[in-house]
Amino acid sequence: MVRKTEIYVVKGIVQCVGFRYYTSHKAMKLGLTGYAKNLNNGDVEVVASGDASRLEQLFEWLHQGSPGANVTAVSRTELKTDKIYQGFAIQ
């Protein structure tokens, strides 16, 4: 398994709708580690680390997100880092 880390920025109505909670649950179900946090501009930043195929599944899921969310865009960038995340945190 090749471990990768990616950062996603999710735009739309993604704050105050349980987006980080649902993202954390989905990521842990996929065996990913990292975090999800609200940004000051209303977006949500998600950093996830794990198997490339699992990251792809999370990326696809982020386009719909939590039941109350209205996602308009998701950007994706690979992070070059040696950091190892423990679990999946909501920040």
Side-chain angles (χ1 to χ4, degrees):
M1 172 178 89
V2 176
R3 190 164 193 82
K4 290 175 55 177
T5 301
E6 294 185 336
I7 184 169
Y8 311 97
V9 177
V10 186
K11 297 182 175 298
I13 300 172
V14 291
Q15 290 190 12
C16 300
V17 293
F19 195 89
R20 292 176 301 153
Y21 171 80
Y22 280 90
T23 300
S24 174
H25 181 74
K26 181 66 174 180
M28 287 188 294
K29 194 173 178 181
L30 291 170
L32 301 172
T33 59
Y35 67 83
K37 75 175 184 178
N38 287 338
L39 300 177
N40 291 335
N41 65 358
D43 297 344
V44 170
E45 176 184 274
V46 178
V47 172
S49 183
D51 179 70
S53 66
R54 301 291 175 104
L55 290 171
E56 184 63 34
Q57 290 177 53
L58 179 65
F59 177 66
E60 293 300 321
W61 180 88
L62 288 171
H63 285 84
Q64 63 187 37
S66 65
N70 182 7
V71 177
T72 58
V74 182
S75 66
R76 176 187 206 176
T77 307
E78 185 173 351
L79 283 178
K80 300 294 183 189
T81 181
D82 293 330
K83 183 170 183 166
I84 297 173
Y85 297 94
Q86 300 296 320
F88 202 93
I90 297 172
Q91 298 182 349

